[in-house]
Amino acid sequence: MTARSIRGAAAATLAGALALTAAACSNPGGTAAGAGERKDSAVVGIAYEPETLSPLLGYGKDGNSKIFDGLLAFDAGMKLRPALAVELPRVSPDGLTYTYRLRKGVTFSDGHPFTAKDVVFTYQTVLDPKTNNPSRTELDALKSVEAVGDDTVVFRLKYPYAPFAERTVLAIAPQHIAAKQDVNSGPFTSKPIGTGPYVLTSWSKGEKLSFEANPRYWDGAPQVKKLTMAIIKDDDVRATRLRAGDLDGAILPPDLAAGFAKDTARKTYAAKTYDYRTVTLPTHHPVTGDIAVRRALDVAVDRQAMVDKLLEGAGKPAYGPVPTDSEWFAKGTERRHDLDAAQQILDEAGWKPGPDGVRVRNGVRAAFPLWYLSGDKLRQDHALAYASDAKKAGIEITTQSGTWEIIEPRMKTDAVLAGGGTPGDPDFDQYLLLKSTLGGDGFNNMAWYDNKTVDKALEDGRRTDDTVRRRAAYDIVQRELVKNPGYTFLTHIDHLYVVNDRWEGLSTQTEPHDHGLASGPWWNVETWKPKR
Amino acid sequence: MSRRLPWGAMARMTGRRALFAVPVLLAVTVAVFAVAAASPFDPVTAYAGTAGLTASQENLDQLRDNLGVDRPLVTRWWEWLTSALHGELGDSSVMRRPVADVIAERIGWSALLAGAAFLLAVALGTGLGVLAGRRRGGLLDRAVSSAAYTLEAAPAFWLGLLAIWFFALKLGALPAGGLTDTADDTVTADQVAGHLVLPALVLGLSQLPWFLLYVRQGVGDALEEDPVRGARARGLRERTVLLGHALRSGMLPMLTLVGSRVPELITGALLVETVFSWPGIAAATVQAATSVDFPLLAALTVLATAAVLLGNLLSDLLYGLAEPRVGFDG
């Protein structure tokens, strides 16, 4: 027996003796009522708690909130479908006016009717600078919004913005409640009222959110009548409580999800995502700013090995923000792992191996620092693997960890292991990552990427609604990234969920980088049916 | 113990301590604001969360302005203090709600957990300590002492995981976390009681060794002192000797411990609340700290400081009662 196991055995025995006495006096008959004994209830474990449930502060901006609806919603493949609007919007030929006709007879869960006024109120409040909404930039194109009668809303844009309709999945708040209180800290931020399929019955912060099916939901009352989202930050605890039967489903990291692979009562769902990990190669650094170095790194890196070893197969190699299985991916821009090619590129560019194996050109060593967010094991693993691949090509990368406060001031010249990803439209990620004018604008274009061809293609891509022309524009962007990569994209990461096999109709939606409440197989829990 | 309690002396000590608490609390709030202002964490980044990673600089600057985080330290502290004295604790930026609401809905659960754990640790610690101290070096003493040392070394977090694994997973006897059954959202007394068992047990066990070892030492030493030996020699019953004489002097060091364990209890609660998804104040404290949420952090720090001061007062009062020669300070 090792010391640790002796200690464990001793503590367990002692704990056992004590707890049995304690349990006997305070909890007679006390067995933990397993979750989901009722067929029409579901309990899921999530890792992150939302700070707010107010759409005005950013909740539900990507659609698919259980409490609220947007004018439009995304289906499983991230195609738009009408929600509070009866149909997709009519767009004026110049792309500057979007007109939505609203569904009639919809009420908020307090019985108050939903009208165009609520839509106008929601958008205007989000645009108000006094509203502390960190996602306001996403509505940058919006100039004004007005109601025409009770059931029509017209949006006017400052410039043509093709993916604007994708932004109108934003959850709609009730004016008659939210307008009467402090938008930043009023009770509405934690006691929301919406039109959605579920009504929040309680939010015990740090513990769980409880929902009940909205019997008056305009799209039909859900069959899962009770939905509970338990907030369990620690991965091991979440896996343990899932195994204990306390949860019906949970999000788990790859290594813990693997433990449920042979469990016949539970199924594992791997959600495809836009969640990428990438290395920024700052234009302002003498080494990473050199196109030869960037191209060499792009082929020196072994992406498949990262998928196999770091993600246990749950993911795929990434060559840009657009995943390889997206319809917007430019076929033929995949880069194979090819160390010889990397060496050759560097040789031709004049980077000659120095005495210590690190290449040198004109007295500059091919070396740079790479930062990753401290505490994020996945980013650390990616950073170390990347540094080790680069070393084989003669480029020395020093990995360093820090918080964003430490990393941010250094982003102009130091490389960063970054993550991100927003499905819905190819404009969302590519514009923010690659547009030269956004270099150093907050966390946008962290690499200060500057490429005139890309800039033009990005503008072309967002200013037209024509799919063929848009595709051509984003093809140009992706091909430019092969010639001059401003980032080394490494992987797209699957999100894994383990769920009791008790329902029909489960699927996963293409997911973004951050794990919202609505991610996972429960993205459409309102359409689940209990298995007989 | 039929003599009257010295109410007057106790009240005077309490009054003196309360006066003394004012400058201490003020100093602590200043320190909190200073430390938070000097911390490398950026409140705006924390507020924006993942959305901040795609927000424009203009958007972030506006947020910074709205949240008012760039005003001088002294200004912010003074504003906070004056409004706090009027009972207005401000809005928590991380919770998006008034600080008073955040604290009100959480503090009861933390107090319940900490209180139950504390009682458990004191009761069990004293009981086992007396038994162990009675015959030092005996089988029971060796078993109990080594268990106590083992527990002292075991992190509360790890104990919590172990408890979940054993009671929730292997035995299925107790719930693994939360305040009520996960699927249930009505808070009833028996539900809470059932869910309290494991977290209180783990937190209590992590505090137990100190009490146990102190009592054991105290009782053991007292049994070897002349008055006790004399009592024994006079043929008093073992029970009387043990409880009436030895325990009384053996308890003294423990009374001091009661107060000094309060900070430990607060930090222990932090880990235990996390493991068991207990909706208490501890988790909010960490969030407030890492998000530089000045109003929430300041209020919580004042609370924690007050708890520590109260704990010390309590133990000094008890000590004064148990050992009249020490009296009440001043």
Side-chain angles (χ1 to χ4, degrees):
Chain A
M1 260 184 146
T2 61
R4 193 182 162 81
S5 63
I6 294 175
R7 197 163 85 180
T13 320
L14 187 66
L18 296 173
L20 288 180
T21 10
C25 45
S26 59
N27 193 7
T31 51
E37 275 164 11
R38 283 171 56 194
K39 269 194 162 181
D40 57 358
S41 76
V43 184
V44 300
I46 56 176
Y48 297 100
E49 183 170 34
E51 286 89 10
T52 171
L53 292 176
S54 169
L56 307 169
L57 297 181
Y59 172 68
K61 72 184 176 67
D62 298 315
N64 203 7
S65 138
K66 295 289 153 241
I67 312 161
F68 297 96
D69 291 301
L71 293 176
L72 305 179
F74 288 115
D75 67 7
M78 299 306 284
K79 288 253 180 302
L80 284 173
R81 60 181 170 80
L84 288 177
V86 276
E87 58 191 14
L88 296 182
R90 274 185 290 120
V91 186
S92 66
D94 62 1
L96 288 173
T97 311
Y98 281 64
T99 309
Y100 289 78
R101 277 204 305 120
L102 305 184
R103 197 175 290 280
K104 284 181 184 151
V106 176
T107 56
F108 285 98
S109 57
D110 63 352
H112 205 275
F114 155 79
T115 71
K117 284 201 193 90
D118 300 303
V119 179
V120 173
F121 165 75
T122 301
Y123 281 84
Q124 281 179 347
T125 310
V126 171
L127 287 179
D128 181 356
K130 286 290 154 209
T131 306
N132 293 341
N133 187 324
S135 310
R136 177 159 45 242
T137 321
E138 295 188 350
L139 292 178
D140 183 53
L142 182 57
K143 186 167 77 182
S144 69
V145 50
E146 62 179 299
V148 181
D150 267 356
D151 64 347
T152 305
V153 176
V154 181
F155 293 88
R156 289 180 215 288
L157 307 192
K158 295 179 206 157
Y159 49 85
Y161 183 57
F164 181 72
E166 272 85 355
R167 295 299 191 204
T168 58
V169 299
L170 178 82
I172 301 297
Q175 184 188 25
H176 69 279
I177 292 168
K180 287 180 192 145
Q181 43 180 270
D182 182 345
V183 60
N184 294 321
S185 62
F188 181 69
T189 61
S190 58
K191 293 189 179 64
I193 285 167
T195 57
Y198 286 90
V199 179
L200 183 81
T201 50
S202 80
W203 182 9
S204 167
K205 288 228 172 135
E207 191 201 359
K208 67 190 168 192
L209 295 120
S210 308
F211 302 93
E212 235 163 51
N214 178 358
R216 285 187 296 202
Y217 187 49
W218 54 268
D219 202 17
Q223 294 204 16
V224 175
K225 298 289 178 214
K226 217 167 149 7
L227 174 66
T228 309
M229 291 183 163
I231 296 131
I232 305 161
K233 293 200 176 75
D234 188 79
D235 292 333
D236 289 297
V237 177
R238 216 175 316 116
T240 304
R241 285 180 59 177
L242 178 64
R243 202 172 296 261
D246 188 34
L247 303 175
D248 292 313
I251 179 164
L252 292 177
D255 50 333
L256 289 172
F260 290 90
K262 292 200 178 96
D263 190 333
T264 49
R266 296 186 179 91
K267 268 190 173 174
T268 302
Y269 295 85
K272 296 291 166 208
T273 72
Y274 269 54
D275 187 4
Y276 59 76
R277 292 294 176 276
T278 187
V279 176
T280 67
L281 301 173
T283 303
H284 295 282
H285 188 280
V287 176
T288 57
D290 183 56
I291 294 182
V293 171
R294 299 174 176 208
R295 285 181 48 219
L297 285 168
D298 208 28
V299 289
V301 64
D302 189 351
R303 298 176 170 93
Q304 192 59 48
M306 291 185 181
V307 171
D308 295 342
K309 303 227 171 71
L310 307 184
L311 307 179
E312 308 215 6
K316 51 190 173 290
Y319 306 99
V322 182
T324 46
D325 53 4
S326 162
E327 56 169 325
W328 293 98
F329 182 71
K331 293 262 183 321
T333 58
E334 296 93 340
R335 275 85 84 190
R336 289 248 306 272
H337 170 54
D338 190 344
L339 189 56
D340 292 340
Q343 310 263 22
Q344 203 185 337
I345 293 169
L346 290 169
D347 283 340
E348 284 168 7
W351 292 96
K352 299 294 181 206
D356 56 352
V358 178
R359 289 168 185 269
V360 182
R361 185 177 71 179
N362 303 335
V364 179
R365 286 178 88 234
F368 61 90
L370 169 62
W371 290 88
Y372 62 88
L373 189 62
S374 48
D376 188 329
K377 179 149 184 309
L378 203 53
R379 289 185 196 217
Q380 179 182 356
D381 289 349
H382 275 84
L384 294 175
Y386 184 70
S388 131
D389 285 347
K391 190 152 186 55
K392 291 176 196 151
I395 297 171
E396 187 184 66
I397 298 176
T398 325
T399 55
Q400 285 171 295
S401 76
T403 62
W404 284 123
E405 285 79 4
I406 295 169
I407 298 171
E408 195 186 350
R410 296 173 166 85
M411 290 190 314
K412 190 172 177 182
T413 53
D414 290 8
V416 180
L417 201 299
T422 318
D425 193 274
D427 173 80
F428 294 167
D429 285 324
Q430 299 186 69
Y431 195 88
L432 297 181
L433 272 168
L434 300 169
K435 180 76 180 169
S436 62
T437 51
L438 294 182
D441 178 73
F443 285 82
N444 296 321
N445 194 357
M446 284 164 71
W448 299 64
Y449 189 70
D450 190 350
N451 181 330
K452 297 281 166 291
T453 318
V454 169
D455 278 349
K456 180 172 182 307
L458 288 170
E459 286 300 334
D460 290 348
R462 62 161 46 178
R463 281 169 190 273
T464 171
D465 229 3
D466 181 60
T467 312
V468 178
R469 288 173 58 193
R470 297 197 77 201
R471 192 178 300 283
Y474 292 113
D475 275 7
I476 291 174
V477 174
Q478 292 174 67
R479 289 186 203 292
E480 277 300 313
L481 278 184
V482 182
K483 293 186 216 156
N484 175 13
Y487 300 77
T488 310
F489 283 87
L490 305 175
T491 55
H492 277 105
I493 294 161
D494 289 350
H495 297 161
L496 296 178
Y497 302 88
V498 178
V499 188
N500 280 357
D501 196 13
R502 294 203 289 123
W503 297 277
E504 287 170 7
L506 272 68
S507 62
T508 54
Q509 198 175 27
T510 310
E511 295 186 359
H513 169 60
D514 53 333
H515 307 255
L517 288 186
S519 301
W522 33 93
W523 78 276
N524 65 348
V525 60
E526 61 271 19
T527 62
W528 289 8
K529 291 180 176 51
K531 271 189 178 170
R532 268 160 244 249
Chain B
M1 244 209 261
S2 57
R3 72 199 157 82
R4 288 189 51 207
L5 287 172
W7 288 114
M10 287 169 73
R12 278 195 296 280
M13 178 159 103
T14 311
R16 273 195 303 276
R17 293 296 181 86
L19 277 179
F20 172 66
V22 174
V24 169
L25 287 174
L26 276 179
V28 165
T29 58
V30 174
V32 168
F33 273 76
V35 167
S39 93
F41 292 114
D42 178 16
V44 176
T45 312
Y47 183 91
T50 35
L53 299 181
T54 53
S56 67
Q57 195 58 51
E58 188 194 348
N59 194 174
L60 292 174
D61 291 345
Q62 180 71 51
L63 265 181
R64 187 172 293 279
D65 193 41
N66 287 0
L67 297 174
V69 292
D70 280 347
R71 283 171 304 145
L73 169 70
V74 179
T75 320
R76 308 199 57 192
W77 174 73
W78 182 250
E79 277 176 15
W80 177 82
L81 187 71
T82 45
S83 54
L85 289 177
H86 289 97
E88 174 55 58
L89 293 175
D91 293 334
S92 155
S93 65
V94 66
M95 303 283 173
R96 272 60 159 177
R97 306 180 56 204
V99 167
D101 289 8
V102 174
I103 293 181
E105 73 182 11
R106 287 166 176 261
I107 196 161
W109 301 125
S110 278
L112 179 68
L113 173 62
F118 197 64
L119 281 181
L120 181 80
V122 172
L124 219 60
T126 312
L128 287 173
V130 169
L131 291 180
R134 194 173 60 158
R135 211 157 285 123
R136 272 197 285 191
L139 186 65
L140 180 80
D141 177 37
R142 275 181 295 161
V144 169
S145 307
S146 47
Y149 285 119
T150 312
L151 267 180
E152 204 172 344
F157 191 80
W158 179 75
L159 274 184
L161 286 177
L162 195 77
I164 292 180
W165 170 79
F166 188 70
F167 295 108
L169 214 57
K170 288 287 156 197
L171 299 183
L174 286 164
L179 184 64
T180 55
D181 283 344
T182 320
D184 220 328
D185 54 332
T186 46
V187 181
T188 58
D190 62 323
Q191 281 251 340
V192 173
H195 283 73
L196 180 65
V197 174
L198 277 191
L201 188 77
V202 168
L203 185 57
L205 279 184
S206 72
Q207 302 300 316
L208 175 74
W210 281 270
F211 295 109
L212 193 155
L213 295 172
Y214 266 69
V215 172
R216 168 183 172 272
Q217 185 76 28
V219 168
D221 289 349
L223 283 177
E224 280 160 22
E225 281 168 11
D226 289 340
V228 176
R229 288 197 200 173
R232 269 187 169 158
R234 288 199 306 277
L236 283 180
R237 277 173 40 220
E238 179 71 13
R239 225 180 97 127
T240 323
V241 174
L242 200 62
L243 298 183
H245 296 76
L247 180 60
R248 186 127 175 233
S249 50
M251 281 289 280
L252 283 178
M254 206 195 89
L255 292 180
T256 323
L257 197 62
V258 169
S260 64
R261 292 316 297 170
V262 172
E264 194 80 19
L265 199 66
I266 294 173
T267 46
L270 185 75
L271 298 173
V272 172
E273 284 185 8
T274 311
V275 176
F276 290 95
S277 307
W278 189 259
I281 203 90
T285 312
V286 177
Q287 265 187 302
T290 56
S291 316
V292 204
D293 186 346
F294 282 92
L296 183 57
L297 193 59
L300 289 176
T301 315
V302 167
L303 268 177
T305 314
V308 172
L309 292 175
L310 268 175
N312 281 329
L313 173 65
L314 181 73
S315 69
D316 288 351
L317 285 174
L318 289 175
Y319 203 99
L321 286 177
E323 178 54 276
R325 275 173 301 176
V326 175
F328 303 97
D329 61 27

